[in-house]
Amino acid sequence: MRKPNRPRLADASPRHAATHDVVEDGWVRCGIVRAWPVVLDGLGADADALFAEAGISRATFDDEENTISYSDGGRLLRRSVEATGTRHVGLLIGQPVTLSALGAVGFLMRASPTVGHALGVLAEHFHVHDRGGQIAVETHDGVAVLGYRIKAPNVEASDQIYLVAAASACNFLRELCGPEWRPLEVQLPFRRPAHVAPLRRVLGSRLAFDAERMNVVLRVADLTKPTATADPVLYRMMAERVAALEARLDRDIVGQVRDLMQ
């Protein structure tokens, strides 16, 4: 499929990084993984060599608006685990993530009046930030669930991606609910690792494994909590920005279909 011309990083392969606002199918904005180079440095790995092996420039992670594909990210996560011997690299990458990593969607969540409204924003507009995964917000059996699953096919190191997502989701909820918030449970879609202490330190003591997707379970009452950062003026501004991104995404998809038909 012919893609429209877009500006790209001069020192990175177009297959791996782009500097446009529209996220392509199977790709994600780099805001969520900006800590990756620092994490590898801290673990004593040669981060530059690992990135070069994958055809990705370290500078890719300097700009939250750059994008990386799930397939390339999964391969690089696998190599990161192999190079460091650390089975929870994804957890370390996700540990410092805040709502700002989601760009306009994150700021719209921060400005939302309640936690439930903010999570609704995330579910509705997640594809503006990430088109390799899916978000769901559900309530059942007296609890609320923020769920995430990978939809991109044949992705390596999915357990590490789910750890990035779990740490990020807990951080988002802590920002929205307050620093004392704790999940009722975090459910992870992979087998229980040999060492769970690092996971418990970041995600909480109640962990479940072999789940169908990554779920952060919280109290239904949490959804009605007002956010400490609610801001009606900022909300209107960010809503306009997200609407513009949605419109660009729609045009991009229509353009790709037109190219394919031609």
Side-chain angles (χ1 to χ4, degrees):
M1 183 185 300
R2 180 172 60 85
K3 299 290 182 65
N5 293 327
R6 294 174 176 138
R8 299 194 181 257
L9 288 176
D11 59 347
S13 165
R15 191 169 65 86
H16 296 285
T19 56
H20 53 82
D21 287 336
V22 176
V23 179
E24 297 177 5
D25 192 36
W27 291 57
V28 60
R29 292 173 64 261
C30 283
I32 208 76
V33 291
R34 282 195 70 184
W36 204 335
V38 176
V39 167
L40 291 179
D41 291 341
L43 293 173
D46 187 342
D48 291 340
L50 283 172
F51 293 142
E53 177 185 319
I56 299 174
S57 167
R58 185 187 185 107
T60 299
F61 302 93
D62 291 342
D63 187 343
E64 293 181 348
E65 297 299 331
N66 289 339
T67 59
I68 183 171
S69 73
Y70 265 67
S71 58
D72 293 332
R75 281 193 293 272
L76 184 52
L77 277 168
R78 175 181 57 80
R79 287 291 295 120
S80 297
V81 171
E82 293 170 351
T84 63
T86 302
R87 302 298 306 176
H88 58 281
V89 168
L91 188 76
L92 299 177
I93 294 171
Q95 192 170 357
V97 169
T98 65
L99 283 170
S100 62
L102 300 178
V105 174
F107 287 107
L108 185 59
M109 291 174 67
R110 273 184 182 161
S112 294
T114 66
V115 173
H117 188 101
L119 295 183
V121 166
L122 179 62
E124 182 178 357
H125 301 294
F126 185 67
H127 57 276
V128 170
H129 159 78
D130 184 331
R131 292 185 62 201
Q134 292 176 320
I135 286 285
V137 180
E138 302 165 351
T139 57
H140 53 78
D141 300 326
V143 298
V145 176
L146 172 58
Y148 163 85
R149 75 169 74 247
I150 298 169
K151 69 173 185 177
N154 305 319
V155 177
E156 297 182 50
S158 62
D159 58 333
Q160 300 303 315
I161 295 174
Y162 282 120
L163 285 175
V164 175
S168 301
C170 286
N171 288 345
F172 297 159
L173 285 163
R174 203 167 287 117
E175 275 192 75
L176 295 169
C177 296
E180 302 304 317
W181 176 87
R182 296 292 182 274
L184 294 177
E185 186 175 65
V186 176
Q187 301 166 355
L188 298 163
F190 52 81
R191 284 187 293 181
R192 180 188 180 95
H195 303 287
V196 298
L199 279 63
R200 285 188 171 133
R201 282 196 295 271
V202 176
L203 305 178
S205 59
R206 294 194 59 180
L207 302 175
F209 298 92
D210 297 312
E212 293 185 0
R213 66 183 183 192
M214 190 287 294
N215 291 317
V216 177
V217 184
L218 58 155
R219 297 169 182 83
V220 171
D222 288 336
L223 300 180
T224 61
K225 289 181 177 179
T227 59
T229 52
D231 185 331
V233 175
L234 180 61
Y235 185 91
R236 287 194 296 271
M237 292 173 57
M238 289 298 102
E240 291 175 1
R241 171 62 176 159
V242 170
L245 291 172
E246 290 275 11
R248 291 191 61 179
L249 179 61
D250 290 342
R251 287 197 298 271
D252 186 66
I253 292 173
V254 170
Q256 291 181 34
V257 172
R258 184 184 301 113
D259 290 342
L260 180 61
M261 291 178 68
Q262 289 175 350

